[in-house]
């Protein structure tokens, strides 16, 4: 009789007589639960082994997302452009949010495109587990593959959007410089932050059914607090006459930090005293949030690996 068969026989006997707990019996024969959470390094290795599945799943979602619409993939660019046009009308022209900002169209477009990347990743990540329960219950794979695939999907869309953004920034009067080579660095850090944030909200969304209803209010508040439509320094310290530390706290907001750094790179007239170099507080904030969110996000998501798709 093989070892698994012996274990089953002993389990049946033990279960009937109560002489040995099943958990202790399974440990004696080296048996583990089918959905047991692997050790963290093993879990990361399993994710790497499934990198082709993650990339293919993300790409297929991108292709199918707009397949039924007339304009198709063009909506990847039209959506942030239409949002930017509406916000420019409201905040730039009607409410005067662009006063004191020399190139407000480029200022606004940069903020919208960068913030939209994080906003869409977080929103999609919250549904990545709860929206794929049939897949989770049918197949065995690291559940972090799903929020990772959703982040890659948004990154693929961002690649198209950034091409449009660079063209529009040049049209508004900006000149490409060597500092534009820093764009991939900023986007790489933002992507790492988005992965971590997506993993965190994915675990929360798997158990908190009301999270998807709350997220629009949370992201809208985040939008207004990130200086997308206005200069934090001018409005908070200049117009509102609040202490400088209030503006500094707002700059430490991860979305605001990534937006500020990208504006420093793309817009020559934006805070010329720094000359395309962001204040140390800004780039340090970007690095911190990227590392912290990625590390904590993976650990936090991994801790509940056994519970996804159950109940």
């Amino acid at each position: 009789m093989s070892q698994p068969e012996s274990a089953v026989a002993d389990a049946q006997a033990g279960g009937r007589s109560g002489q040995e707990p099943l958990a202790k019996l399974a440990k004696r024969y080296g048996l583990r639960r089918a959905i047991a959470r692997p050790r963290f390094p093993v879990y990361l290795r399993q994710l790497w082994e499934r990198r082709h599945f993650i990339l293919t799943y993300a790409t297929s979602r991108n292709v199918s997302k707009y397949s039924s619409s007339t304009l198709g993939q063009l909506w990847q660019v039209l959506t942030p452009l239409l949002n930017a046009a509406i916000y420019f009308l409201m905040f730039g022209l009607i409410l005067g949010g662009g006063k004191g900002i020399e190139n407000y169209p480029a200022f606004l477009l940069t903020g919208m495109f960068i913030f939209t990347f994080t906003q869409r990743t977080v929103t999609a990540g919250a549904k990545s587990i709860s929206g794929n329960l049939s897949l989770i219950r049918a197949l065995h794979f690291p559940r972090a593959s799903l929020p990772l695939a959703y982040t890659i999907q948004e990154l693929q869309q961002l690649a198209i959007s950034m091409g449009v953004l660079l063209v529009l920034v040049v049209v508004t009067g900006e000149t490409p410089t060597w500092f534009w080579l820093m764009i991939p660095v900023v986007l790489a850090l933002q992507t790492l932050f988005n992965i971590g944030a997506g993993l965190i909200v994915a675990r929360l969304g798997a158990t908190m059914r009301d999270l998807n209803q709350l997220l629009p209010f949370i992201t809208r508040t985040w939008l207004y607090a990130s200086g997308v439509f206005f200069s934090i320094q001018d409005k908070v310290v200049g117009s509102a006459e609040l202490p400088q530390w209030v503006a500094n706290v707002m700059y430490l907001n991860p979305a605001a930090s990534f937006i500020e750094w990208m504006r420093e790179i793309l817009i020559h007239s934006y805070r010329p005293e720094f000359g395309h170099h962001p204040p140390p507080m800004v780039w340090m904030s970007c690095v911190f949030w990227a590392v912290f969110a990625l590390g904590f996000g993976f650990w936090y998501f991994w801790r509940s690996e056994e519970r996804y798709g159950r109940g």
Side-chain angles (χ1 to χ4, degrees):
M1 185 180 295
S2 64
Q3 188 179 38
E5 292 173 344
S6 300
V8 172
D10 288 351
Q12 292 173 343
R16 288 192 299 268
S17 63
Q19 294 178 354
E20 186 174 10
L22 292 180
K24 185 177 180 181
L25 182 66
K27 183 178 181 181
R28 176 157 62 89
Y29 281 96
L31 302 180
R32 299 173 65 243
R33 286 177 296 155
I35 58 172
R37 183 184 67 217
R39 292 182 296 109
F40 192 61
V42 176
Y43 189 69
L44 295 180
R45 186 171 67 249
Q46 291 176 352
L47 280 172
W48 175 251
E49 291 171 351
R50 288 162 176 82
R51 61 191 182 278
H52 300 297
F53 161 74
I54 296 172
L55 181 60
T56 302
Y57 184 72
T59 304
S60 63
R61 282 187 54 85
N62 250 336
V63 172
S64 62
K65 184 174 183 179
Y66 302 103
S67 59
S68 60
S69 61
T70 304
L71 296 179
Q73 300 296 314
L74 191 59
W75 281 111
Q76 297 184 25
V77 178
L78 287 179
T79 299
L81 280 179
L82 291 174
N83 286 333
I86 294 171
Y87 287 129
F88 177 75
L89 177 64
M90 291 298 300
F91 291 91
L93 300 180
I94 298 178
L95 298 179
K99 291 182 179 179
I101 301 176
E102 185 173 330
N103 190 351
Y104 187 70
F107 176 93
L108 177 63
L109 286 169
T110 302
M112 280 300 306
F113 277 64
I114 297 301
F115 183 83
T116 299
F117 177 35
T118 294
Q119 179 189 39
R120 289 169 63 103
T121 302
V122 170
T123 303
K127 303 175 183 178
S128 61
I129 298 299
S130 58
N132 291 281
L133 291 180
S134 58
L135 179 65
I136 290 173
R137 290 167 179 168
L139 301 174
H140 179 69
F141 61 95
R143 308 315 188 197
S145 301
L146 295 173
L148 276 174
Y150 279 65
T151 303
I152 293 175
Q153 177 189 353
E154 298 301 332
L155 181 62
Q156 290 173 341
Q157 295 191 16
L158 178 71
I160 300 174
S161 300
M162 282 303 297
V164 176
L165 174 62
L166 295 181
V167 171
L168 293 175
V169 167
V170 172
V171 169
T172 60
E174 300 298 330
T175 304
T177 67
W178 289 108
F179 292 99
W180 284 29
L181 296 177
M182 287 293 295
I183 293 175
V185 176
V186 181
L187 295 182
L189 290 172
Q190 187 182 7
T191 301
L192 295 180
F193 168 77
N194 288 357
I195 290 173
L199 289 166
I200 293 170
V201 296
R203 173 176 170 176
L204 295 175
T207 55
M208 298 173 55
R209 300 305 180 185
D210 293 332
L211 181 62
N212 290 328
Q213 307 302 322
L214 291 173
L215 264 182
F217 301 99
I218 296 173
T219 55
R220 193 174 300 122
T221 303
W222 196 7
L223 174 73
Y224 295 140
S226 299
V228 174
F229 317 117
F230 59 89
S231 169
I232 294 176
Q233 186 69 26
D234 291 345
K235 294 299 182 182
V236 173
V237 179
S239 301
E241 298 183 350
L242 294 174
Q244 180 63 44
W245 67 265
V246 178
N248 292 340
V249 170
M250 293 183 68
Y251 283 132
L252 294 178
N253 162 12
S257 296
F258 292 117
I259 290 171
E260 287 293 308
W261 196 351
M262 190 63 72
R263 283 171 174 164
E264 296 282 356
I265 293 172
L266 295 179
I267 306 174
H268 184 269
S269 59
Y270 183 62
R271 297 201 296 186
E273 66 272 18
F274 292 105
H276 292 286
H277 295 285
M281 178 179 61
V282 169
W283 67 259
M284 290 175 64
S285 173
C286 291
V287 173
F288 168 78
W289 283 116
V291 174
F292 173 78
L294 184 69
F296 178 76
F298 266 114
W299 175 85
Y300 182 71
F301 186 90
W302 165 77
R303 291 286 296 174
S304 287
E305 178 73 10
E306 298 172 328
R307 296 199 291 268
Y308 300 130
R310 302 181 66 180

